[in-house]
Amino acid sequence: MSTAPSTPAPLRLLIADDEELIRGALVALLSLEPDLEVIADVSDGGAAVTAAAEHRPDVVLLDLEMPVLDGVDAAIQIRRTLDTRIVLVTRHARPGTLKRALSAGIAGFVPKSTPASELAQIIRAVARGERYIDRDLAAAALTEDENPLTARERDVLRLTREGLPTKLVAKQLHLAHGTVRNHTSAAMLKLNAESRVQAAAIAWDNGWI
């Protein structure tokens, strides 16, 4: 007596987005796909790292701009311990972001305007081992400027963007206060910025931090 072929287990998804309406819509729409199962959804990058370790999803869908950790930093931490596939979703295609994403091992890079049915196809593709990069985002990457900042200048501006005063930046990086001020001044000069906050914003907009 022949047996019916078994149905493959659905792909297990983790979704991270700090915008509740968008996250809820993604959960609802992707759950309609018979071969996709949303096993967890969270609202920030730190929670995404914790949930990934707990649930071990097949694919993680990460928003780029989230509290605690942005999508790229969350992806880096997740992939330190898990060989899961990651799709990064972004509202704005900032120059430089694609390079960061690819360096982090991200398999998919798509705009938030992507229809749910198309996103489902992309999720299936990356789960098979393929890579999907949106054409418009890729075109922006081809015209991006090289990052003029040193690693330390990037560290300083990244913490500045998080709202830390110079003294706390120095403490977190284990540097002298004067050293941090020197890195800040150098970064401001390179980016033609009038303040350290403006320098951090410019660096972020260009995907350099």
Side-chain angles (χ1 to χ4, degrees), residues 154-165:
R154 293 196 298 272
D155 290 340
V156 168
L157 292 185
R158 190 176 295 114
L159 293 175
T160 297
R161 187 178 179 276
E162 292 175 7
L164 272 65

Side-chain angles (χ1 to χ4, degrees), residues 15-20 22-23 26 42-43 63 66 112:
I15 297 175
D17 195 309
D18 62 323
E19 296 183 71
E20 190 170 341
I22 291 178
R23 188 174 76 253
L26 285 172
V42 296
S43 60
D63 183 22
M66 292 187 291
K112 279 195 172 181

Side-chain angles (χ1 to χ4, degrees), residues 69-84:
L69 295 171
D70 73 9
V72 176
D73 288 335
I76 291 170
Q77 293 205 21
I78 289 170
R79 286 183 55 80
R80 281 175 183 163
T81 56
L82 294 175
D83 189 27
T84 189

Side-chain angles (χ1 to χ4, degrees), residues 58-69:
D58 300 306
V59 179
V60 180
L61 199 64
L62 296 174
D63 183 22
L64 173 62
E65 297 187 30
M66 292 187 291
V68 185
L69 295 171

Side-chain angles (χ1 to χ4, degrees), residues 99-113:
K99 186 177 290 185
R100 285 184 64 215
L102 294 178
S103 296
I106 284 171
F109 196 51
V110 300
K112 279 195 172 181
S113 58

Side-chain angles (χ1 to χ4, degrees), residues 8-205:
L11 292 173
R12 303 167 73 250
L13 309 180
L14 166 63
I15 297 175
D17 195 309
D18 62 323
E19 296 183 71
E20 190 170 341
L21 271 176
I22 291 178
R23 188 174 76 253
L26 285 172
V27 171
L29 292 170
L30 292 175
S31 294
L32 293 174
E33 301 289 335
D35 59 338
L36 303 181
E37 177 188 3
V38 180
I39 56 172
D41 64 279
V42 296
S43 60
D44 66 70
V49 175
T50 301
E54 178 182 353
H55 297 285
R56 305 182 72 85
D58 300 306
V59 179
V60 180
L61 199 64
L62 296 174
D63 183 22
L64 173 62
E65 297 187 30
M66 292 187 291
V68 185
L69 295 171
D70 73 9
V72 176
D73 288 335
I76 291 170
Q77 293 205 21
I78 289 170
R79 286 183 55 80
R80 281 175 183 163
T81 56
L82 294 175
D83 189 27
T84 189
R85 306 288 284 172
I86 295 177
V87 176
L88 192 71
V89 183
T90 179
R91 189 184 303 279
H92 304 292
R94 296 181 296 110
T97 306
L98 178 58
K99 186 177 290 185
R100 285 184 64 215
L102 294 178
S103 296
I106 284 171
F109 196 51
V110 300
K112 279 195 172 181
S113 58
T114 305
S117 58
E118 184 179 339
L119 183 58
Q121 294 286 6
I122 293 168
I123 289 169
R124 295 182 186 106
V126 301
R128 293 193 299 266
E130 299 175 25
R131 174 175 280 172
Y132 179 89
I133 306 297
D134 178 79
R135 267 185 292 179
D136 291 339
L137 301 183
L142 291 175
T143 59
E144 69 187 12
D145 295 327
E146 287 297 318
N147 190 342
L149 302 169
T150 66
R152 270 304 185 207
E153 289 164 1
R154 293 196 298 272
D155 290 340
V156 168
L157 292 185
R158 190 176 295 114
L159 293 175
T160 297
R161 187 178 179 276
E162 292 175 7
L164 272 65
T166 305
K167 287 184 178 180
L168 286 183
V169 171
K171 184 176 181 180
Q172 187 143 336
L173 295 177
H174 306 290
L175 297 173
H177 185 215
T179 302
V180 169
R181 291 179 62 183
N182 289 340
H183 285 311
T184 302
S185 297
M188 288 170 56
L189 184 62
K190 289 177 180 178
L191 302 180
N192 196 27
E194 296 181 359
S195 69
R196 67 190 193 95
V197 173
Q198 184 185 26
I202 293 171
W204 172 261
D205 286 341

